[in-house]
Amino acid sequence: MSDGTNIIFEDRFRISDVDKEGKKFDRVARIEGVAENTQMKLTLDINSEIYPIQAGEQITLAVARSLLPEEMEVDGGSEAGENGDDAPRKVKREMWRGGDQGLAAGYEYVLYGKIYKFDDSVSGDAQTTAYFSFGGLLMALRGSYRHLSAVVVGEDVYLLIRK
């Protein structure tokens, strides 16, 4: 993204339905909602035992490439970068080693997963659906392509939610 953050998508959703088609698994609820700003439609499987959500509640949902607000630069050192220059390189820092939770500190429910499908065959003006899997908990974001333009199939992502 051009703003230097790892956030691919972020918006506030009002939950309209929980388990609309009936409960399929003991500890999993399928929630549906609509985003306030982008009018994106959300369908998400969530562990209802760990993070219960009721119809009518509002959540903030973010999808990020990393838990770091932005890639960390290497401190000092004169090792040449990929192009042979002395410019600072961007590296990923392992969050669990430093005690810093990064973006996760501002959210209550965090999942790690992968973008596995991007479907733009939905009828309508520039409508598309991005599909995500978080260890078997699935998510679909449907709406305008312009809000999902940063989505790349096969990319590892974090899902961050707070009420």
Side-chain angles (χ1 to χ4, degrees), residues 75-138:
D75 292 338
S78 60
E79 285 187 37
E82 291 178 19
N83 299 329
D85 56 6
D86 287 332
R89 292 176 291 150
K90 305 269 183 177
V91 296
K92 290 188 178 179
R93 184 170 48 108
E94 295 173 343
M95 301 304 293
W96 59 272
R97 290 188 182 213
D100 180 16
Q101 295 181 355
L103 291 175
Y107 293 87
E108 302 161 341
Y109 186 73
V110 180
L111 297 173
Y112 177 75
K114 187 176 283 287
I115 303 166
Y116 71 91
K117 185 178 176 183
F118 196 78
D119 183 11
D120 57 359
S121 63
V122 178
S123 63
D125 184 33
Q127 294 292 302
T128 191
T129 305
Y131 296 94
F132 304 76
S133 177
F134 303 98
L137 297 175
L138 303 177

Side-chain angles (χ1 to χ4, degrees), residues 23-160:
K23 193 128 180 98
K24 302 213 188 308
F25 299 101
D26 289 338
R27 291 174 246 168
V28 176
R30 178 159 285 177
I31 63 173
E32 295 180 13
V34 177
E36 291 179 353
N37 299 321
T38 60
Q39 298 304 307
M40 298 289 289
K41 293 180 181 168
L42 168 74
T43 303
L44 173 65
D45 295 339
I46 194 162
N47 185 323
S48 57
E49 190 174 75
I50 294 174
Y51 199 70
I53 294 180
Q54 304 299 319
E57 286 186 313
Q58 287 190 352
I59 61 169
T60 298
L61 179 138
V63 178
R65 290 183 181 93
S66 169
L67 293 178
L68 297 173
E70 57 186 85
E71 297 298 314
M72 303 298 291
E73 290 186 6
V74 174
D75 292 338
S78 60
E79 285 187 37
E82 291 178 19
N83 299 329
D85 56 6
D86 287 332
R89 292 176 291 150
K90 305 269 183 177
V91 296
K92 290 188 178 179
R93 184 170 48 108
E94 295 173 343
M95 301 304 293
W96 59 272
R97 290 188 182 213
D100 180 16
Q101 295 181 355
L103 291 175
Y107 293 87
E108 302 161 341
Y109 186 73
V110 180
L111 297 173
Y112 177 75
K114 187 176 283 287
I115 303 166
Y116 71 91
K117 185 178 176 183
F118 196 78
D119 183 11
D120 57 359
S121 63
V122 178
S123 63
D125 184 33
Q127 294 292 302
T128 191
T129 305
Y131 296 94
F132 304 76
S133 177
F134 303 98
L137 297 175
L138 303 177
M139 179 174 83
L141 274 175
R142 287 180 293 285
S144 175
Y145 173 79
R146 67 186 177 112
H147 300 300
L148 296 173
S149 61
V151 171
V152 177
V153 174
E155 188 173 31
D156 294 332
V157 293
Y158 291 90
L159 174 68
L160 304 115

